[in-house]
Amino acid sequence: DSAVTRPRIDKSALAYGEPPRITDQAWRRSARDRACDVCRINDQTIVLAHFRRAGCGIGIKPHDAEGLFLCGRCHAEWDTSPDREGWLIDNYVVPQMHRRYRGWKAAQS
């Protein structure tokens, strides 16, 4: 029984093409040494949570560089949020902006 080898399909002609994918196991494993990007706790549940966007679906994840390190609680909230973009803005982007402002303000005094 010999395996049939099929030619690879050139997806560059497709409307979206085949997005490049970075998979970095060392980056994923580094989650163990980090605090949650949202709630800042540091426990054994920290994992890399990927952002799903156009062209991504079940079984098709984006780059490993496109994610946050989240604890189990924040990851569950992220996965079940009906408005992921709003969740991301409220729980990550706005707090980052506030931290940046507080750091700048402290440097002014």
Side-chain angles (χ1 to χ4, degrees), residues 11-46:
K11 295 183 180 178
S12 63
L14 299 174
Y16 292 102
E18 185 172 19
R21 168 110 164 82
I22 297 170
T23 303
D24 188 334
Q25 294 301 323
W27 177 245
R28 289 180 184 194
R29 282 191 305 273
S30 76
R32 285 178 258 192
D33 305 325
R34 299 175 183 273
C36 177
D37 285 330
V38 172
C39 70
R40 313 306 286 169
I41 69 162
N42 187 352
D43 66 13
Q44 299 299 311
T45 68
I46 309 297

mmCIF file of all heavy atoms in Angstrom, residues 11-46:
data_model
loop_
_atom_site.group_PDB
_atom_site.id
_atom_site.type_symbol
_atom_site.label_atom_id
_atom_site.label_comp_id
_atom_site.label_asym_id
_atom_site.label_seq_id
_atom_site.Cartn_x
_atom_site.Cartn_y
_atom_site.Cartn_z
ATOM 1 N N LYS A 11 -1.777 28.643 -2.465
ATOM 2 C CA LYS A 11 -2.855 29.448 -1.900
ATOM 3 C C LYS A 11 -2.604 30.944 -2.047
ATOM 4 O O LYS A 11 -3.420 31.756 -1.639
ATOM 5 C CB LYS A 11 -3.051 29.099 -0.422
ATOM 6 C CG LYS A 11 -3.531 27.670 -0.240
ATOM 7 C CD LYS A 11 -3.795 27.375 1.199
ATOM 8 C CE LYS A 11 -4.280 25.941 1.347
ATOM 9 N NZ LYS A 11 -4.517 25.585 2.748
ATOM 10 N N SER A 12 -1.492 31.331 -2.648
ATOM 11 C CA SER A 12 -1.201 32.754 -2.800
ATOM 12 C C SER A 12 -2.188 33.441 -3.739
ATOM 13 O O SER A 12 -2.359 34.650 -3.685
ATOM 14 C CB SER A 12 0.231 32.957 -3.295
ATOM 15 O OG SER A 12 0.376 32.384 -4.593
ATOM 16 N N ALA A 13 -2.852 32.683 -4.607
ATOM 17 C CA ALA A 13 -3.816 33.272 -5.543
ATOM 18 C C ALA A 13 -5.185 33.479 -4.899
ATOM 19 O O ALA A 13 -6.040 34.154 -5.464
ATOM 20 C CB ALA A 13 -3.949 32.391 -6.778
ATOM 21 N N LEU A 14 -5.410 32.921 -3.728
ATOM 22 C CA LEU A 14 -6.686 33.083 -3.044
ATOM 23 C C LEU A 14 -6.826 34.502 -2.506
ATOM 24 O O LEU A 14 -5.842 35.208 -2.315
ATOM 25 C CB LEU A 14 -6.808 32.083 -1.888
ATOM 26 C CG LEU A 14 -6.765 30.608 -2.280
ATOM 27 C CD1 LEU A 14 -6.747 29.743 -1.031
ATOM 28 C CD2 LEU A 14 -7.956 30.261 -3.143
ATOM 29 N N ALA A 15 -8.052 34.908 -2.254
ATOM 30 C CA ALA A 15 -8.300 36.261 -1.769
ATOM 31 C C ALA A 15 -7.513 36.560 -0.492
ATOM 32 O O ALA A 15 -6.968 37.638 -0.328
ATOM 33 C CB ALA A 15 -9.794 36.457 -1.531
ATOM 34 N N TYR A 16 -7.464 35.608 0.434
ATOM 35 C CA TYR A 16 -6.752 35.819 1.686
ATOM 36 C C TYR A 16 -5.407 35.120 1.723
ATOM 37 O O TYR A 16 -4.600 35.402 2.574
ATOM 38 C CB TYR A 16 -7.599 35.326 2.874
ATOM 39 C CG TYR A 16 -8.826 36.157 3.094
ATOM 40 C CD1 TYR A 16 -10.077 35.713 2.684
ATOM 41 C CD2 TYR A 16 -8.745 37.399 3.692
ATOM 42 C CE1 TYR A 16 -11.202 36.482 2.870
ATOM 43 C CE2 TYR A 16 -9.862 38.185 3.887
ATOM 44 C CZ TYR A 16 -11.095 37.717 3.480
ATOM 45 O OH TYR A 16 -12.205 38.482 3.671
ATOM 46 N N GLY A 17 -5.178 34.197 0.817
ATOM 47 C CA GLY A 17 -3.933 33.449 0.831
ATOM 48 C C GLY A 17 -3.825 32.594 2.081
ATOM 49 O O GLY A 17 -4.777 32.434 2.829
ATOM 50 N N GLU A 18 -2.683 32.057 2.318
ATOM 51 C CA GLU A 18 -2.451 31.272 3.529
ATOM 52 C C GLU A 18 -1.620 32.130 4.466
ATOM 53 O O GLU A 18 -0.483 32.465 4.168
ATOM 54 C CB GLU A 18 -1.710 29.978 3.197
ATOM 55 C CG GLU A 18 -1.562 29.074 4.387
ATOM 56 C CD GLU A 18 -1.002 27.710 3.999
ATOM 57 O OE1 GLU A 18 -0.418 27.576 2.919
ATOM 58 O OE2 GLU A 18 -1.155 26.786 4.800
ATOM 59 N N PRO A 19 -2.194 32.533 5.596
ATOM 60 C CA PRO A 19 -1.443 33.419 6.482
ATOM 61 C C PRO A 19 -0.216 32.720 7.054
ATOM 62 O O PRO A 19 -0.262 31.530 7.346
ATOM 63 C CB PRO A 19 -2.445 33.749 7.587
ATOM 64 C CG PRO A 19 -3.435 32.635 7.555
ATOM 65 C CD PRO A 19 -3.471 32.139 6.139
ATOM 66 N N PRO A 20 0.871 33.474 7.183
ATOM 67 C CA PRO A 20 2.049 32.870 7.813
ATOM 68 C C PRO A 20 1.721 32.564 9.267
ATOM 69 O O PRO A 20 0.955 33.267 9.894
ATOM 70 C CB PRO A 20 3.118 33.955 7.702
ATOM 71 C CG PRO A 20 2.363 35.231 7.546
ATOM 72 C CD PRO A 20 1.082 34.878 6.863
ATOM 73 N N ARG A 21 2.284 31.504 9.791
ATOM 74 C CA ARG A 21 1.971 31.088 11.156
ATOM 75 C C ARG A 21 3.257 30.872 11.920
ATOM 76 O O ARG A 21 4.118 30.118 11.492
ATOM 77 C CB ARG A 21 1.160 29.793 11.106
ATOM 78 C CG ARG A 21 1.013 29.106 12.425
ATOM 79 C CD ARG A 21 -0.427 29.189 12.922
ATOM 80 N NE ARG A 21 -0.684 28.239 13.970
ATOM 81 C CZ ARG A 21 -0.375 28.441 15.239
ATOM 82 N NH1 ARG A 21 0.227 29.533 15.599
ATOM 83 N NH2 ARG A 21 -0.663 27.547 16.137
ATOM 84 N N ILE A 22 3.386 31.568 13.025
ATOM 85 C CA ILE A 22 4.541 31.388 13.900
ATOM 86 C C ILE A 22 4.110 30.491 15.045
ATOM 87 O O ILE A 22 3.143 30.785 15.738
ATOM 88 C CB ILE A 22 5.033 32.731 14.463
ATOM 89 C CG1 ILE A 22 5.522 33.632 13.341
ATOM 90 C CG2 ILE A 22 6.125 32.515 15.508
ATOM 91 C CD1 ILE A 22 5.800 35.050 13.778
ATOM 92 N N THR A 23 4.778 29.383 15.222
ATOM 93 C CA THR A 23 4.544 28.510 16.358
ATOM 94 C C THR A 23 5.848 28.443 17.130
ATOM 95 O O THR A 23 6.856 28.006 16.598
ATOM 96 C CB THR A 23 4.123 27.100 15.900
ATOM 97 O OG1 THR A 23 2.957 27.213 15.089
ATOM 98 C CG2 THR A 23 3.829 26.202 17.081
ATOM 99 N N ASP A 24 5.816 28.906 18.365
ATOM 100 C CA ASP A 24 7.025 28.960 19.167
ATOM 101 C C ASP A 24 6.742 28.323 20.523
ATOM 102 O O ASP A 24 6.166 28.946 21.414
ATOM 103 C CB ASP A 24 7.463 30.413 19.329
ATOM 104 C CG ASP A 24 8.821 30.554 19.977
ATOM 105 O OD1 ASP A 24 9.225 29.651 20.741
ATOM 106 O OD2 ASP A 24 9.486 31.572 19.726
ATOM 107 N N GLN A 25 7.145 27.070 20.666
ATOM 108 C CA GLN A 25 6.881 26.331 21.897
ATOM 109 C C GLN A 25 7.567 26.970 23.105
ATOM 110 O O GLN A 25 7.022 26.962 24.212
ATOM 111 C CB GLN A 25 7.295 24.868 21.746
ATOM 112 C CG GLN A 25 6.477 24.103 20.731
ATOM 113 C CD GLN A 25 4.989 24.098 21.068
ATOM 114 O OE1 GLN A 25 4.588 24.029 22.220
ATOM 115 N NE2 GLN A 25 4.155 24.175 20.040
ATOM 116 N N ALA A 26 8.757 27.528 22.913
ATOM 117 C CA ALA A 26 9.461 28.163 24.028
ATOM 118 C C ALA A 26 8.671 29.380 24.516
ATOM 119 O O ALA A 26 8.576 29.630 25.717
ATOM 120 C CB ALA A 26 10.868 28.568 23.609
ATOM 121 N N TRP A 27 8.091 30.144 23.599
ATOM 122 C CA TRP A 27 7.265 31.302 23.958
ATOM 123 C C TRP A 27 6.045 30.844 24.756
ATOM 124 O O TRP A 27 5.694 31.436 25.773
ATOM 125 C CB TRP A 27 6.860 32.042 22.693
ATOM 126 C CG TRP A 27 5.947 33.210 22.874
ATOM 127 C CD1 TRP A 27 4.665 33.326 22.413
ATOM 128 C CD2 TRP A 27 6.230 34.443 23.533
ATOM 129 N NE1 TRP A 27 4.143 34.537 22.756
ATOM 130 C CE2 TRP A 27 5.077 35.246 23.443
ATOM 131 C CE3 TRP A 27 7.337 34.946 24.208
ATOM 132 C CZ2 TRP A 27 5.003 36.533 23.994
ATOM 133 C CZ3 TRP A 27 7.267 36.224 24.747
ATOM 134 C CH2 TRP A 27 6.114 36.994 24.637
ATOM 135 N N ARG A 28 5.407 29.776 24.301
ATOM 136 C CA ARG A 28 4.241 29.247 25.017
ATOM 137 C C ARG A 28 4.622 28.777 26.417
ATOM 138 O O ARG A 28 3.931 29.035 27.385
ATOM 139 C CB ARG A 28 3.615 28.087 24.253
ATOM 140 C CG ARG A 28 2.908 28.507 22.992
ATOM 141 C CD ARG A 28 2.317 27.295 22.320
ATOM 142 N NE ARG A 28 1.713 27.657 21.057
ATOM 143 C CZ ARG A 28 0.901 26.864 20.391
ATOM 144 N NH1 ARG A 28 0.605 25.671 20.869
ATOM 145 N NH2 ARG A 28 0.394 27.247 19.249
ATOM 146 N N ARG A 29 5.742 28.061 26.524
ATOM 147 C CA ARG A 29 6.178 27.552 27.829
ATOM 148 C C ARG A 29 6.558 28.679 28.783
ATOM 149 O O ARG A 29 6.488 28.523 29.990
ATOM 150 C CB ARG A 29 7.350 26.586 27.666
ATOM 151 C CG ARG A 29 6.930 25.208 27.189
ATOM 152 C CD ARG A 29 8.082 24.220 27.293
ATOM 153 N NE ARG A 29 9.291 24.648 26.601
ATOM 154 C CZ ARG A 29 9.553 24.420 25.314
ATOM 155 N NH1 ARG A 29 8.702 23.745 24.557
ATOM 156 N NH2 ARG A 29 10.682 24.840 24.775
ATOM 157 N N SER A 30 6.962 29.832 28.239
ATOM 158 C CA SER A 30 7.352 30.952 29.097
ATOM 159 C C SER A 30 6.169 31.484 29.909
ATOM 160 O O SER A 30 6.364 32.271 30.836
ATOM 161 C CB SER A 30 7.977 32.082 28.270
ATOM 162 O OG SER A 30 6.997 32.815 27.562
ATOM 163 N N ALA A 31 4.958 31.029 29.601
ATOM 164 C CA ALA A 31 3.767 31.435 30.359
ATOM 165 C C ALA A 31 3.918 31.076 31.830
ATOM 166 O O ALA A 31 3.411 31.779 32.705
ATOM 167 C CB ALA A 31 2.518 30.773 29.778
ATOM 168 N N ARG A 32 4.634 29.987 32.111
ATOM 169 C CA ARG A 32 4.810 29.545 33.503
ATOM 170 C C ARG A 32 5.478 30.602 34.368
ATOM 171 O O ARG A 32 5.278 30.640 35.569
ATOM 172 C CB ARG A 32 5.676 28.284 33.540
ATOM 173 C CG ARG A 32 4.961 27.052 33.096
ATOM 174 C CD ARG A 32 5.918 25.908 33.140
ATOM 175 N NE ARG A 32 6.336 25.688 31.754
ATOM 176 C CZ ARG A 32 6.991 24.641 31.318
ATOM 177 N NH1 ARG A 32 7.359 23.713 32.157
ATOM 178 N NH2 ARG A 32 7.288 24.505 30.062
ATOM 179 N N ASP A 33 6.303 31.441 33.750
ATOM 180 C CA ASP A 33 7.085 32.427 34.492
ATOM 181 C C ASP A 33 6.446 33.810 34.494
ATOM 182 O O ASP A 33 7.077 34.780 34.886
ATOM 183 C CB ASP A 33 8.489 32.539 33.878
ATOM 184 C CG ASP A 33 9.192 31.200 33.808
ATOM 185 O OD1 ASP A 33 8.990 30.391 34.733
ATOM 186 O OD2 ASP A 33 9.921 30.957 32.830
ATOM 187 N N ARG A 34 5.212 33.909 34.037
ATOM 188 C CA ARG A 34 4.574 35.216 33.874
ATOM 189 C C ARG A 34 3.363 35.387 34.768
ATOM 190 O O ARG A 34 2.791 34.428 35.238
ATOM 191 C CB ARG A 34 4.119 35.394 32.420
ATOM 192 C CG ARG A 34 5.246 35.341 31.435
ATOM 193 C CD ARG A 34 4.711 35.399 30.018
ATOM 194 N NE ARG A 34 5.783 35.282 29.083
ATOM 195 C CZ ARG A 34 6.504 36.307 28.633
ATOM 196 N NH1 ARG A 34 6.228 37.524 29.039
ATOM 197 N NH2 ARG A 34 7.478 36.113 27.776
ATOM 198 N N ALA A 35 2.970 36.654 34.906
ATOM 199 C CA ALA A 35 1.702 36.984 35.555
ATOM 200 C C ALA A 35 0.671 37.176 34.452
ATOM 201 O O ALA A 35 1.014 37.447 33.298
ATOM 202 C CB ALA A 35 1.842 38.265 36.362
ATOM 203 N N CYS A 36 -0.590 37.032 34.794
ATOM 204 C CA CYS A 36 -1.683 37.247 33.841
ATOM 205 C C CYS A 36 -1.610 38.684 33.322
ATOM 206 O O CYS A 36 -1.446 39.629 34.097
ATOM 207 C CB CYS A 36 -3.023 36.992 34.541
ATOM 208 S SG CYS A 36 -4.460 37.298 33.501
ATOM 209 N N ASP A 37 -1.711 38.869 32.016
ATOM 210 C CA ASP A 37 -1.671 40.204 31.415
ATOM 211 C C ASP A 37 -2.864 41.062 31.814
ATOM 212 O O ASP A 37 -2.817 42.280 31.679
ATOM 213 C CB ASP A 37 -1.624 40.103 29.882
ATOM 214 C CG ASP A 37 -0.260 39.685 29.371
ATOM 215 O OD1 ASP A 37 0.749 40.001 30.022
ATOM 216 O OD2 ASP A 37 -0.215 39.040 28.303
ATOM 217 N N VAL A 38 -3.929 40.456 32.297
ATOM 218 C CA VAL A 38 -5.128 41.212 32.654
ATOM 219 C C VAL A 38 -5.199 41.460 34.156
ATOM 220 O O VAL A 38 -5.169 42.596 34.612
ATOM 221 C CB VAL A 38 -6.404 40.511 32.146
ATOM 222 C CG1 VAL A 38 -7.654 41.175 32.674
ATOM 223 C CG2 VAL A 38 -6.415 40.508 30.619
ATOM 224 N N CYS A 39 -5.293 40.413 34.956
ATOM 225 C CA CYS A 39 -5.504 40.596 36.396
ATOM 226 C C CYS A 39 -4.188 40.631 37.179
ATOM 227 O O CYS A 39 -4.189 40.888 38.370
ATOM 228 C CB CYS A 39 -6.438 39.530 36.949
ATOM 229 S SG CYS A 39 -5.710 37.882 37.003
ATOM 230 N N ARG A 40 -3.072 40.353 36.506
ATOM 231 C CA ARG A 40 -1.725 40.444 37.073
ATOM 232 C C ARG A 40 -1.401 39.371 38.116
ATOM 233 O O ARG A 40 -0.354 39.438 38.734
ATOM 234 C CB ARG A 40 -1.458 41.830 37.666
ATOM 235 C CG ARG A 40 -1.859 43.008 36.802
ATOM 236 C CD ARG A 40 -1.295 43.023 35.432
ATOM 237 N NE ARG A 40 0.118 43.374 35.449
ATOM 238 C CZ ARG A 40 0.908 43.264 34.397
ATOM 239 N NH1 ARG A 40 0.447 42.818 33.273
ATOM 240 N NH2 ARG A 40 2.152 43.592 34.467
ATOM 241 N N ILE A 41 -2.293 38.382 38.332
ATOM 242 C CA ILE A 41 -1.938 37.325 39.277
ATOM 243 C C ILE A 41 -0.912 36.402 38.623
ATOM 244 O O ILE A 41 -0.800 36.350 37.403
ATOM 245 C CB ILE A 41 -3.159 36.508 39.762
ATOM 246 C CG1 ILE A 41 -3.741 35.666 38.630
ATOM 247 C CG2 ILE A 41 -4.199 37.376 40.410
ATOM 248 C CD1 ILE A 41 -4.623 34.540 39.130
ATOM 249 N N ASN A 42 -0.180 35.698 39.453
ATOM 250 C CA ASN A 42 0.810 34.755 38.937
ATOM 251 C C ASN A 42 0.513 33.411 39.583
ATOM 252 O O ASN A 42 0.770 33.211 40.760
ATOM 253 C CB ASN A 42 2.217 35.231 39.289
ATOM 254 C CG ASN A 42 3.276 34.390 38.626
ATOM 255 O OD1 ASN A 42 2.984 33.364 38.015
ATOM 256 N ND2 ASN A 42 4.512 34.817 38.736
ATOM 257 N N ASP A 43 -0.081 32.520 38.827
ATOM 258 C CA ASP A 43 -0.362 31.191 39.357
ATOM 259 C C ASP A 43 -0.055 30.146 38.290
ATOM 260 O O ASP A 43 0.490 30.453 37.246
ATOM 261 C CB ASP A 43 -1.802 31.086 39.879
ATOM 262 C CG ASP A 43 -2.852 31.207 38.792
ATOM 263 O OD1 ASP A 43 -2.517 31.126 37.585
ATOM 264 O OD2 ASP A 43 -4.032 31.369 39.136
ATOM 265 N N GLN A 44 -0.396 28.926 38.553
ATOM 266 C CA GLN A 44 -0.063 27.824 37.655
ATOM 267 C C GLN A 44 -1.008 27.695 36.464
ATOM 268 O O GLN A 44 -0.870 26.774 35.675
ATOM 269 C CB GLN A 44 -0.048 26.508 38.445
ATOM 270 C CG GLN A 44 0.973 26.484 39.559
ATOM 271 C CD GLN A 44 2.388 26.650 39.034
ATOM 272 O OE1 GLN A 44 2.791 25.969 38.107
ATOM 273 N NE2 GLN A 44 3.133 27.579 39.603
ATOM 274 N N THR A 45 -1.978 28.606 36.325
ATOM 275 C CA THR A 45 -2.948 28.466 35.237
ATOM 276 C C THR A 45 -2.646 29.362 34.042
ATOM 277 O O THR A 45 -3.423 29.408 33.101
ATOM 278 C CB THR A 45 -4.375 28.775 35.739
ATOM 279 O OG1 THR A 45 -4.462 30.176 36.071
ATOM 280 C CG2 THR A 45 -4.739 27.922 36.936
ATOM 281 N N ILE A 46 -1.530 30.083 34.045
ATOM 282 C CA ILE A 46 -1.219 31.026 32.971
ATOM 283 C C ILE A 46 -0.913 30.266 31.678
ATOM 284 O O ILE A 46 -0.077 29.367 31.653
ATOM 285 C CB ILE A 46 -0.027 31.930 33.338
ATOM 286 C CG1 ILE A 46 -0.207 32.587 34.704
ATOM 287 C CG2 ILE A 46 0.220 32.964 32.245
ATOM 288 C CD1 ILE A 46 -1.361 33.514 34.835
#
